[in-house]
């Protein structure tokens, strides 16, 4: 029986949400199935690392956001059939199963999004100077707070809104009224839909 320490990240880039397990590898295969059931709506963003308790070697990992959803240390290749089975059942079609569909403003309000704030054009070369993950329905209050605390001289402040799966939605300027859509508008959003979802008259 291989003793392990496993880390299950429901949201791969939010370490504070990690679920830590200390058990045996054999028992963890049952536990990971339970965790996958519990977090089925976000498995496309889930990351799992399983380490040998003795020596700390990484022996198995699952990556819901990568095309190849698992890797296994060659010393543990005997478990690959179980790992493949777990991937097939939970990870392989998670992105398709959980893909975002926006048919109404109510659908839009419930989308998990990421806000990326930029104050000057050069910021695009170095990444956003402000970032926040939340539901679309929360965006308006978040942006009002950010704008109220931001230096007034940053007239170029604007925010890009992306899905958690890295799909661009729209951009909104500091005035929280001026909205820009890109030509490739995957979700067929309109400015009216966006304003309604944000609660902007």
């Amino acid at each position: 029986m291989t003793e392990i320490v496993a880390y299950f990240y429901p949201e791969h880039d939010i370490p504070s949400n990690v679920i830590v397990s200390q058990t045996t590898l054999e028992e963890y295969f049952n536990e990971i199935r339970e965790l996958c059931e519990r977090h089925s709506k976000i498995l496309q963003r889930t990351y799992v690392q399983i380490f040998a308790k003795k020596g700390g070697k990484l022996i198995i990992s699952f990556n819901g956001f990568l095309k190849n959803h698992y890797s296994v240390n060659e010393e543990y290749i005997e478990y690959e059939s179980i790992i493949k089975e777990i991937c097939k059942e939970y990870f392989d079609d998670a992105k398709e199963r959980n893909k975002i569909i926006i048919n109404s403003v109510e659908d839009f309000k419930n989308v998990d999004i990421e806000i990326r704030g930029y104050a000057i054009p050069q910021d695009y070369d170095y990444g956003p100077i402000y970032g926040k993950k939340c539901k679309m329905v929360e965006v308006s209050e978040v942006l009002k707070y950010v704008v109220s605390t931001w230096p007034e001289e940053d007239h170029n402040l604007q925010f890009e809104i992306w899905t958690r799966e890295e799909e661009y939605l729209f951009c909104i300027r500091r005035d929280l009224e001026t909205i820009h859509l890109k030509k490739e508008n995957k979700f067929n959003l309109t400015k009216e839909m966006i304003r309604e979802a944000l609660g902007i008259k």
Side-chain angles (χ1 to χ4, degrees), residues 37-80:
E37 292 283 353
R38 192 188 317 166
H39 298 282
S40 62
K41 297 295 184 186
I42 53 172
L43 283 179
Q44 70 277 13
R45 301 198 296 264
T46 295
Y47 182 44
V48 185
Q49 291 182 306
I50 304 172
F51 295 90
K53 191 171 183 179
K54 187 176 181 180
K57 181 184 293 184
L58 178 64
I59 56 178
I60 298 167
S61 65
F62 294 90
N63 300 278
F65 48 97
L66 294 181
K67 188 173 182 180
N68 184 11
H69 294 301
Y70 75 90
S71 64
V72 56
N73 186 298
E74 59 183 18
E75 293 177 31
Y76 295 85
I77 205 72
E78 64 190 277
Y79 294 102
E80 189 169 23

